[in-house]
Amino acid sequence: MREIGHFIGGRQVAGRSGRYGEVFLPMTGEVQAKVALAGKDELHEAVEVAKAAQPGWAAQNPQKRARVLMKFLDLAHKEFDSLAELLAREHGKTVPDAKGDIQRGLEVVEFACGIPHLMKGEFTENAGPGIDMYSIRQPLGVVAGITPFNFPAMIPMWKFAPAIACGNAFILKPSERDPGVPMRLAELMMEAGLPAGILNVVNGDKEAVDAIIEDRDIKAIGFVGSSAIAEYIYAGGCAAGKRVQCFGGAKNHMIVMPDADMDQAVDALIGAGYGSAGERCMAISVAVPVGEETANRLVERLVPRVESLKIGPSTDPDADFGPLVTAEAVKKVRSYVDLGVAEGAELLVDGRGFTMQGYENGFYMGGCLFDRVSPDMRIYKEEIFGPVLSVVRARDYEEALDLPTSHEYGNGVAIFTRDGDAARDFASKVEVGMVGINVPIPVPLAYHTFGGWKRSGFGDLNQHGPDSIRFYTKTKTITSRWPSGVKEGAEFVIPTMR
Ligand code: NAD
């Protein structure tokens, strides 16, 4: 069986801990590879290698660092199709969707190519008599990224591209469920001219994550995954004195106002609710029609669309979505559907019994649609992370605004309306980090920043965009006076500009 080890010091190395995880082929249910799960020693070895390589990389001028990323873009584009196939085979999403995963990652690499400009500091001439003052950004040293299974190309690139562009060395701990693409991306970075040791991939589970939290030489951790683990890593990392940003789970609402273009709203809900089998942190999982009449019109149109969703193996380019990532994920999503029924929600479309002909052991699940879900139900409060959409009927706009605002998660939200006043009021008042107006999945582009509020995001700075440069650098401010400007005598009073 294919064995996936680690990528340390510029080459693939076998795992030494003796522990392995299984990498499935979700479309058939088979085990396709085993992945090494690192112990503390292996993590420590990667950090030592990174620590030795980092000063030389930081000393290169930023244009040279950018050129490595440019070359990487070129190589990744040449391999785009095979990367997408590998990604789809390990994750389960369709190949066209896998291409989107890679493309959204590459866009952040493109952003990071602007590092000579992005890292520029500030300068004040004559800040005092003969005094100049300037601020510069310097890399942190060795930093780590811990990433989830659902975007195995995009999120690793969101992490390592800006960090490496800033002159840091990087330890990536990708999801143990689909490590193939992150390993290949690291190889491509080497082929692009990155010095050995600047990007290392350490595969593993909780043991590797705990080793990252404990390692004194790792100065920052960027995490993306579920909220419970985000909180754990945030607390542990901060207590260990690191800079930490953790992005967690979600429950994204889409408000449908009475004046919305209903065809557009239904299309948006079908794509954003069921694309990638709902395994997206920006998936819409709650539809909130405003008023009974809007709700009836919406539900009437949603039912046939959910019933006719085309589910297929990842290799079927015409499938709307493919299998879920593991049998465990299917079990969890099914149990949430059972729970919704027990809680009294109306299950209008039941995808629990779906089997894929010819792929009976694959991790498939049909689309499910609940109506009359209420805010006290667990299926409303908790993240399901599967092809399940809940309709929560709101009496009026105020109630619709209050639902995402009061929810413990605050990643993304959308409003569908033709009323500019309502849209503006909503965007201003809703307590959620990313808002779409007639846009169901408002994932900001690379040069803006991505981040949720409340239990969807822990830390002060967002991912990618200008925040990523702030996160991966520290600012130093230098006050300088040359001898000709020095006054005679000692000063005992704090210098001021009076
Ligand atoms: P997960 O939390 O299970 O795993 C994420 C990472 O944490 C993996 O690398 C995993 O190995 C590690 N991990 C898992 N259990 C751990 C433990 N007990 N201790 C330490 N580390 C542990 O998440 P997942 O299932 O891979 O991904 C899905 C989740 O990620 C969803 O909740 C989704 O909403 C979230 N997500 C959030 C964003 C965002 O930007 N907010 C983006 C994508 C995914």
Side-chain angles (χ1 to χ4, degrees), residues 37 145-151 154-155 158-159 173-178 203-210 213 223-230 232-233 246-252 278-283 325 332 383 385 409 411 434 450-452 455-457 463:
L37 302 175
I146 302 164
T147 55
F149 82 86
N150 69 325
F151 281 101
M154 180 181 88
I155 296 179
W158 283 12
K159 302 286 175 206
K173 205 304 283 171
S175 170
E176 61 276 41
R177 290 181 222 156
D178 43 14
N203 284 306
D205 55 5
K206 179 170 166 35
E207 197 170 320
V209 170
D210 286 340
I213 295 172
F223 168 87
V224 180
S226 55
S227 289
I229 312 297
Y232 170 77
I233 293 173
C246 294
F247 300 92
K251 198 79 181 177
N252 306 313
E279 290 177 323
R280 287 183 185 142
C281 69
M282 288 294 274
V325 66
K332 182 184 145 206
E383 183 182 47
F385 223 56
Y409 292 117
N411 213 37
M434 292 169 282
F450 179 111
R455 283 195 74 234
S456 296
Q463 309 189 79

Side-chain angles (χ1 to χ4, degrees), residues 105-191:
L106 293 177
E107 287 171 12
V108 170
V109 181
E110 288 166 2
F111 168 78
C113 288
I115 199 66
H117 174 71
L118 294 167
M119 246 178 114
K120 275 194 303 205
E122 294 167 338
F123 192 96
T124 304
E125 188 190 22
N126 292 330
I131 294 177
D132 299 327
M133 191 175 281
Y134 57 100
S135 302
I136 55 174
R137 294 191 172 280
Q138 293 186 321
L140 304 177
V142 180
V143 299
I146 302 164
T147 55
F149 82 86
N150 69 325
F151 281 101
M154 180 181 88
I155 296 179
M157 284 191 262
W158 283 12
K159 302 286 175 206
F160 74 66
I164 287 175
C166 289
N168 298 288
F170 201 86
I171 310 287
L172 174 66
K173 205 304 283 171
S175 170
E176 61 276 41
R177 290 181 222 156
D178 43 14
V181 171
M183 290 289 281
R184 184 66 194 136
L185 294 177
E187 283 177 339
L188 290 178
M189 284 289 277
M190 283 296 294
E191 284 172 35

